[in-house]
Amino acid sequence: AAALLTACGSGTVGQTGSGDSAQPTGGKKLALIPGVQAEPFYISLQCGAEAEAKKLGYELTTQAPQKFDAPLQTQLVNALGANPPAALLIAPTDDTAMLAPIQQVKARGTKIVEVDTALKDTGVAVSSISSDNAAGGKLAAQTMAKLANGKSGSVLVLDTIAGTSTTAARAKGFEDELKNTPNLKSIGIQFTQNEPEQAAAKVTAALSSTPDLIGVFATNLNTGEGAATGLRNAGKVGAVNLIGFDASPSEVEGLKNGQYQALIAQDPASIGTQGVQQAVAAIEGKPVTRNLTAQLHSITKADMDANAQYFYKQ
Ligand code: T6T
């Protein structure tokens, strides 16, 4: 149920620490459990984490669920039980349902570091590293206002699954900021279960129920890909502005060919790097920072070449 190969250099997970770095021993094991396997955001995060673990002489093992799904992720967390790592870096797929399994790991002495998403209960992790997701939503709303250029219309917000801390903060940050642009009105936040097909269907439905639809804000990679499909099917590419979150290879391709008007790119590698740094600090009894953020970048077609360093790996 887990992906073990990565696109980071020539690396294979589980072999970090070999070569010229120190050989990790029992107390030097880190586990990473991302939100979902084989997905460019988490692959980039994993690459950042692996490189930093190697540098610091730790061994990082990654197990990712097949879907962004709390029961599947719980199985992987529970499987750590037999051989608890010194620290667990995790992107909780549900801000509430993942509390109990993570607490069980913590009770065995494992330090918990949240990467990307977080639990509602802020008392579990020693550190949380994420984008400033509310600021990302705000940035998307400001970009939407700029693209509308004074024109009036309605805007649809596509969220993923209820209980996902990151996309919820993006959607809320977007709607809060949109209130400052009276010519644009949100028709509300719609959930897609992080399935592109559902995102496409929501866009199709919104186009028929809301003739003045002028923009779509897709709060992550899958919602963006689905929204692009929905607009394509309706012949509305470019007529309705699509702002996506993340910068996967397919989103970047979509920006280039006009399916997206803007992307808000995160810096997942830096989330992984900082996650390992905080985990190691906690293990070694050094000072830990409770909350850290990674940079965001709004990218349009016009400035995409200058921003190529923010595109994700696959
Ligand atoms: O947007 C990222 C991540 O930040 C979010 O928590 C879940 O979706 C992604 O992994 C993109 O698919």
Side-chain angles (χ1 to χ4, degrees):
L4 288 174
L5 288 175
T6 82
C8 322
S10 58
T12 304
V13 187
Q15 293 183 349
T16 46
S18 58
D20 46 14
S21 320
Q23 284 296 329
T25 55
K28 299 227 160 185
K29 285 191 194 302
L30 309 176
L32 169 63
I33 302 185
V36 64
Q37 73 175 33
E39 188 262 72
F41 173 84
Y42 288 118
I43 289 172
S44 302
L45 190 158
Q46 182 182 341
C47 292
E50 279 180 17
E52 191 64 17
K54 185 166 185 171
K55 202 167 120 191
L56 299 178
Y58 279 72
E59 180 184 8
L60 180 94
T61 308
T62 301
Q63 299 279 314
Q66 260 163 1
K67 282 179 61 177
F68 196 96
D69 174 81
L72 289 176
Q73 192 178 42
T74 297
Q75 288 174 17
L76 297 177
V77 173
N78 290 345
L80 297 173
N83 193 8
L88 167 64
L89 286 78
I90 186 163
T93 46
D94 187 296
D95 61 13
T96 307
M98 291 310 299
L99 174 63
I102 292 174
Q103 260 171 339
Q104 277 184 24
V105 177
K106 181 178 170 167
R108 295 192 200 97
T110 296
K111 306 286 184 197
I112 308 297
V113 173
E114 290 164 333
V115 284
D116 181 45
T117 49
L119 295 169
K120 265 208 182 112
D121 185 334
T122 55
V124 181
V126 291
S127 179
S128 303
I129 302 98
S130 69
S131 301
D132 184 339
N133 289 293
K138 181 175 175 177
L139 188 57
Q142 290 165 343
T143 307
M144 189 67 84
K146 220 181 279 171
L147 289 166
N149 197 18
K151 219 177 135 196
S152 296
S154 298
V155 173
L156 169 67
V157 180
L158 294 174
D159 198 347
T160 57
I161 307 172
T164 306
S165 65
T166 47
T167 54
R170 292 167 200 167
K172 180 170 190 308
F174 181 90
E175 288 215 312
D176 288 350
E177 177 65 18
L178 204 71
K179 294 188 184 122
N180 298 324
T181 306
N183 54 306
L184 296 182
K185 251 209 331 271
S186 171
I187 57 169
I189 298 168
Q190 303 207 3
F191 290 98
T192 63
Q193 303 315 308
N194 204 27
E195 300 286 352
E197 297 74 19
Q198 290 201 29
K202 298 283 181 187
V203 167
T204 306
L207 282 168
S208 73
S209 67
T210 316
D212 74 340
L213 192 75
I214 186 174
V216 177
F217 172 44
T219 57
N220 84 338
L221 204 154
N222 281 353
T223 48
E225 290 183 8
T229 305
L231 293 177
R232 214 167 38 241
N233 290 346
K236 290 284 186 185
V237 170
V240 173
N241 290 316
L242 174 57
I243 301 183
F245 218 91
D246 294 303
S248 70
S250 80
E251 287 179 292
V252 168
E253 187 58 33
L255 184 65
K256 198 166 161 185
N257 63 31
Q259 300 196 42
Y260 294 81
Q261 280 57 54
L263 294 176
I264 311 294
Q266 306 189 70
D267 189 348
S270 144
I271 295 175
T273 306
Q274 296 187 72
V276 167
Q277 288 168 351
Q278 293 304 310
V280 168
I283 293 165
E284 297 182 355
K286 295 179 182 154
V288 172
T289 307
R290 182 61 188 82
N291 290 294
L292 287 165
T293 53
Q295 295 292 306
L296 289 167
H297 305 272
S298 171
I299 306 174
T300 63
K301 187 175 178 175
D303 56 27
M304 64 186 294
D305 290 342
N307 286 299
Q309 75 263 35
Y310 304 122
F311 300 163
Y312 301 176
K313 297 183 186 193
Q314 189 157 25

